[in-house]
Structures are given as C-alpha cells and as structure tokens.
Amino acid sequence: MTLGYRTTDGSIVTLKPIAAQSTPLGDAPALKLSGREYAAMSTGRVLRAAQAHFDYPAPDGDGAVRAGAKTVAADELGALMARKRFAVFEDGESGLLRLAYRELVLRFRADSTRVQQAQLLKKLGLSKRSGNAFHAQQFVVVDAARRYSVEALIELALQLGEQALVEFATPNFISQYTRCASSAPPSPAKAQWHLAMVHARQAWALSQGRKSITVAVLDDGVDVDHPELKARLKRKPDPQEPRDLLGRDFYVPDSAADHFDPRPKRFRMPFDQMNGNDIHGSCCAGVAVGSGPRGFGMAPRCSLLPVKIFHADDLASDARVADAVRYAAQFADVISCSWGGPRSPDLQAAIADASTQGRAGRGAVIVCAAGNDAAPRVSYPAADAHCIAVGASTDARLQADYSNSGAQLAVVAPSSGGAKGIFCTDVALPGRGFNIGSVAAGGADGLFTNDFGGTSSATPLVAGLAALMLSLKPQLSPAQVAALLKRSAVKIGPPGSYDANGHSKAYGHGMVDALKTLQAVKALKP
C-alpha cells in the first residue's frame, strides 16, 4: 500500500515509512529508527517530538516517567508505549521527517452544517478534539477509540478529501522544518556591506519605514530584550487578547503558560551552533528591522511582531505553523519566513488566506527563503504562488553556491557565501547566540554577529524592503509588491544567465535594489 497526503492543488505526495521500534529500556522509553541512511541520527529528535506532542512517555528528571500529567509505573511502560504507537515517514517531496499519530486536521466547506459534520464524524468513529481560532469550519479530529491504525487513518484522510462536505483533510503531522542560515561560516565582516550593495542608505532618504507597518518574523523566537530590537516591537498586537503583549509562541499550545512569550527558549551546548539552539530568529529580525546604530535593518523605523513557531530544530506541528501564519496575517503587513518544510494543505490554505484576506483585506506580503540545499528546486513555502521566493547572492554579486534555484525564484539579495558574512543583531543573553562573546565574531558584548547568512538573511532583507514599499504606499497589493521588486531588480551574474523574459533560475529577476524599488513605488500614480 502506497501512503500519501493530498495538497490543495489536488496532487498527492507520497510518504515513505521509516521503521520505528520502541521498547522500554529499564524504566525509560527507547526508540530505534531504521530503513533510511539518516534514521539513526534522527532518533532523539523523533522521540522528543513524540513526547512533546503525543504525550509519549518521558522521564521527568526526578526519576519518574510521565505521559502528559500521568505518572507511569515501570510495569505499565511497555503496554503504554504500544498503545501510543505513532508512525514515522520521509516526505516524498521534501525528504523531511513527518510523524503521525491519531489525529487529522479537517476543514469542512463553508456551506456544511454542524449536523452534517457530526453525522459524518460519527459514521467514521471520529470526534472533534479542538476547533481553530482562525477558521470556524476547521477542526482537529481524533480517533479516540483507536479504531484505525496510523496508516489506515492516513488513507482515511485521502478518502475524506473527496467528500462533498470536506474542503481538505490531512494527518495532523508533526514535521521537520529547516532554518535557512548558511551552515558554512563565512569570514568575519563588521561593516553592513549588504545594505550598501542594495543602496539602502540612499533609499532611506525616501523612507526609513513607518511604525504603522509591521514585519512579522516567524521563526525560533526573537530576543525582545535586545537593545536594537525592543524599540521596534509592536506592543499589544491583538487588542482583544490582553495577554498578547508582544507576540506569541505557537510551538506550544494556546493554554501553555508561555504561549504569549515569543523569546528564544531552547539552548543546548555548543551554544553558538544552530542545532539545539533558538538563535536564528533574532538575527532575521535584525536584518529586517534592526533600529541601529550598530546593526541597522532594512526597515529601521518599521515595527516588529515576533511569532515563535520552532523550538530549535525539534519537529513542529504543521497545524500550529499554519495557525501562526493566520495570526501574523491579522496583525502584520509583511510575513518573513526564513525556513522551509514539507507541504501541507493546512499551511497552503493559511498562506492563501493570508495573502488574499490578511492586512485588513489587502493581503499580507509573504516573503520566504528559497533554501540552502544547492538544489534545482525552490523549497516550500517559498515555492507557493502566494509567496515571494528569495535566493542568496554574495559580496561578489554572484549566486551563493548553497542557494536553491528554480522557476519560482523571484529575486536574490546579498548574503553569505563569498568573502563576507552579514552583521546583524544576535541573541543578547550572555553566552548564547552565533557570537557568544568574541570581538572577532561581532563584539565582546555578544549583541551582534558578523557571520549570519544563507537565504535566511536574504529573506528578511527583502521583507524589510517590502515594508518600506508599504510605508510609502500602504495600498499596494502583494502582487504589486512582487512585481515592483522584480521590475526594479538589478541583473547580476554571468552573461546569459537570464531568459528572454528577464528571469534566471539562479538569480530570479536579479538582485534587489532598494533605491530603484522605492523610486518605482513613488513614481506610481495614486
């Protein structure tokens, strides 16, 4: 039997099973993955995901084993692990890990009634576990009676997608997402050469941004206490929710005590490496809207909305990532996503809704990283038609060798990969971040790093430029923003890189130029 899930365009992405054997090891759970070259290396990550999202048994640090709030006796552990069986897959499109358990995300069509929904779910032996705060017809449904195996539930999702009452149905996957900072450290460079290359300072004579225009950074958290970020924070973004003071953490449930704290939270030695650490989003935020005077962002007078969706490189819930996009679209004008992951119909729907209905009906501008795999394809969600896909160029005005290529690539922006890296804000916590306190790495105080990069850095630069465009003309649609960015881009790279339509799979429509872009915006007729 071939397993898969249906995307919003009707295509089916296959799922390749990864054998997962779980057994008690003494009084603690143990897991062994096999069947793929990287499976053994992913065991710890998968086990942590199951414990975080499925109430899979986990040691609590005090010598006991718990499954959620329940203490598990040693003689009960094996039976409980068998009862909480989950399945592990490799996504056939992205190659990333996906976990499935007993839940589906189900969106009913707008004209379906609650009675019809209840009848369908009763017939299938499913029940609603929770609604969706952003879409009244969307629910997480659960196989509470364990009527189906995980594989059978995935098959059921495909069948549900063909029902007249159903808009989409998909397993409630917990998935692997990749943050798109460059893995190869470039040579230190203190000056913000990337801003000079796109003529940012000249563009700032036209606009440095407006406080009323907000960039949402969806990532592993933003250091809201950083001296060059805290002044840019959008305070109390949701006036209907008094606990929402400066953004949210969608990795954890809405009911969690720290749901309204979007700061970096996960740290593990070595603290200057991406793996195990929430050190990525603070850099992205600085590239977009850092206020200066040491680490200016592209839009230094625009506002910042931190939206935390990851805890370091732990697997994340597709449904929660999709809800984070929906939240950001309500309170931000531009959404910056320096990461990639597998497709899901829930995330596809969230992006489509954000692009068409966000920003009070004008549509939020969504800017995404093309990816760092040196691959001839653009990562998702950058490949989505509603997003602006951004690749990376170097200080030598060439494509960075890691930057993905493809037909969906819109533009490139300066980043690492040449002789210089990107100087920007870092995590301000002592001993945490890409720079843990070195003059050579960006300053002894550790507030800044000079080795950020990848399409992760190129993306918020373009997001910041989009915010400047909206600062000049807030009425611009996402399609107009994308068209202006492409039209004003500068052709770089070897001769013959571009086709007859002015597009290159390596460079998109060229490298962004902030001055030319803002001049084009100002030249538009009212």
Side-chain angles (χ1 to χ4, degrees):
M1 177 176 63
T2 301
L3 292 173
Y5 61 94
R6 182 179 284 104
T7 65
T8 55
D9 62 7
S11 61
I12 294 178
V13 179
T14 59
L15 295 167
K16 303 174 184 178
I18 296 177
Q21 180 181 1
S22 56
T23 54
L25 184 61
D27 58 356
L31 180 71
K32 181 180 180 181
L33 301 180
S34 58
R36 296 279 182 267
E37 292 181 6
Y38 60 83
M41 295 185 294
S42 304
T43 299
R45 180 184 292 182
V46 168
L47 184 57
R48 288 196 305 273
Q51 291 165 342
H53 298 280
F54 305 149
D55 285 342
Y56 198 73
D60 68 356
D62 295 323
V65 174
R66 293 186 179 276
K70 179 184 176 183
T71 300
V72 182
D75 59 355
E76 299 175 334
L77 183 58
L80 181 61
M81 290 170 64
R83 200 162 64 92
K84 285 187 167 288
R85 177 186 172 269
F86 58 92
V88 186
F89 303 96
E90 177 187 319
D91 188 88
E93 182 177 72
S94 66
L96 298 172
L97 290 170
R98 310 199 86 163
L99 277 62
Y101 186 39
R102 294 187 297 125
E103 296 179 347
L104 302 178
V105 176
L106 184 59
R107 179 182 288 190
F108 291 99
R109 295 196 181 276
D111 57 356
S112 66
T113 67
R114 290 290 189 257
V115 171
Q116 291 173 318
Q117 295 169 14
Q119 289 174 340
L120 177 62
L121 294 179
K122 182 178 180 180
K123 176 183 175 182
L124 297 172
L126 302 175
S127 56
K128 292 178 181 178
R129 167 161 283 182
S130 61
N132 187 286
F134 303 96
H135 200 289
Q137 294 286 62
Q138 184 167 316
F139 305 90
V140 173
V141 300
V142 60
D143 173 24
R146 291 180 167 80
R147 179 174 174 177
Y148 305 93
S149 67
V150 176
E151 292 78 6
L153 198 63
I154 292 172
E155 279 291 306
L156 180 62
L158 283 174
Q159 296 167 20
L160 275 169
E162 298 174 350
Q163 293 276 341
L165 294 178
V166 176
E167 187 169 326
F168 71 75
T170 184
N172 192 11
F173 286 121
I174 306 301
S175 299
Q176 177 186 5
Y177 289 82
T178 57
R179 297 166 291 172
C180 297
S182 174
S183 58
S187 302
K190 293 182 180 180
Q192 292 192 286
W193 60 271
H194 61 292
L195 294 177
M197 184 166 280
V198 299
H199 303 115
R201 297 186 188 282
Q202 295 92 327
W204 289 341
L206 300 177
S207 177
Q208 295 182 44
R210 294 166 53 184
K211 186 178 180 180
S212 59
I213 301 298
T214 300
V215 178
V217 174
L218 276 62
D219 214 283
D220 61 14
V222 171
D223 189 340
V224 298
D225 302 306
H226 194 289
E228 294 196 9
L229 294 176
K230 63 182 180 182
R232 302 268 56 83
L233 292 170
K234 184 180 181 72
R235 303 283 179 175
K236 299 180 179 179
D238 183 354
Q240 304 303 316
E241 176 49 81
R243 295 172 295 175
D244 192 349
L245 300 178
L246 38 75
R248 303 190 190 185
D249 180 353
F250 280 85
Y251 185 87
V252 301
D254 291 354
S255 58
D258 59 345
H259 172 59
F260 294 98
D261 181 2
R263 292 174 173 84
K265 299 169 185 174
R266 182 66 59 84
F267 298 104
R268 187 171 66 226
M269 292 184 65
F271 299 122
D272 59 352
Q273 300 298 309
M274 285 263 290
N275 290 344
N277 291 290
D278 286 345
I279 61 175
H280 185 258
S282 299
C283 298
C284 294
V287 174
V289 298
S291 63
R294 288 173 63 186
F296 284 103
M298 186 71 245
R301 296 296 174 264
C302 285
S303 294
L304 166 66
L305 177 61
V307 184
K308 186 174 174 67
I309 54 175
F310 304 133
H311 281 198
D313 50 352
D314 285 357
L315 277 64
S317 161
D318 290 356
R320 296 296 286 166
V321 173
D323 280 349
V325 172
R326 295 183 177 105
Y327 165 78
Q330 287 187 345
F331 306 113
D333 304 277
V334 181
I335 300 174
S336 182
C337 303
S338 291
W339 44 270
R343 282 198 291 174
S344 82
D346 196 7
L347 182 54
Q348 288 177 294
I351 287 172
D353 291 346
S355 178
T356 56
Q357 302 168 22
R359 199 163 56 104
R362 288 181 296 227
V365 178
I366 307 172
V367 186
C368 300
N372 296 348
D373 309 304
R377 57 172 178 78
V378 173
S379 298
Y380 192 81
D384 194 292
H386 296 94
C387 299
I388 297 171
V390 181
S393 56
T394 70
D395 57 317
R397 298 168 70 89
L398 296 171
Q399 181 193 28
D401 58 6
Y402 54 77
S403 186
N404 289 357
S405 304
Q408 300 95 339
L409 194 67
V411 290
V412 297
S415 189
S416 62
K420 301 174 182 178
I422 302 300
F423 184 91
C424 61
T425 56
D426 201 351
V427 176
L429 292 169
R432 301 291 187 271
F434 289 99
N435 175 15
I436 55 176
S438 163
V439 172
D445 56 11
L447 295 177
F448 302 87
T449 178
N450 56 21
D451 66 355
F452 194 52
T455 54
S456 277
S457 184
T459 298
L461 189 151
V462 176
L465 179 52
L468 293 183
M469 297 168 71
L470 296 178
S471 295
L472 287 177
K473 282 196 165 49
Q475 69 272 24
L476 291 175
S477 69
Q480 288 174 309
V481 169
L484 285 163
L485 285 168
K486 295 173 185 177
R487 196 173 76 205
S488 57
V490 177
K491 306 301 184 193
I492 62 171
S497 297
Y498 299 83
D499 63 21
N501 296 317
H503 181 267
S504 161
K505 291 184 177 180
Y507 297 97
H509 290 268
M511 184 183 70
V512 293
D513 185 301
L515 178 59
K516 287 184 64 178
T517 301
L518 295 196
Q519 287 173 335
V521 172
K522 281 189 73 71
L524 291 175
K525 295 180 180 179

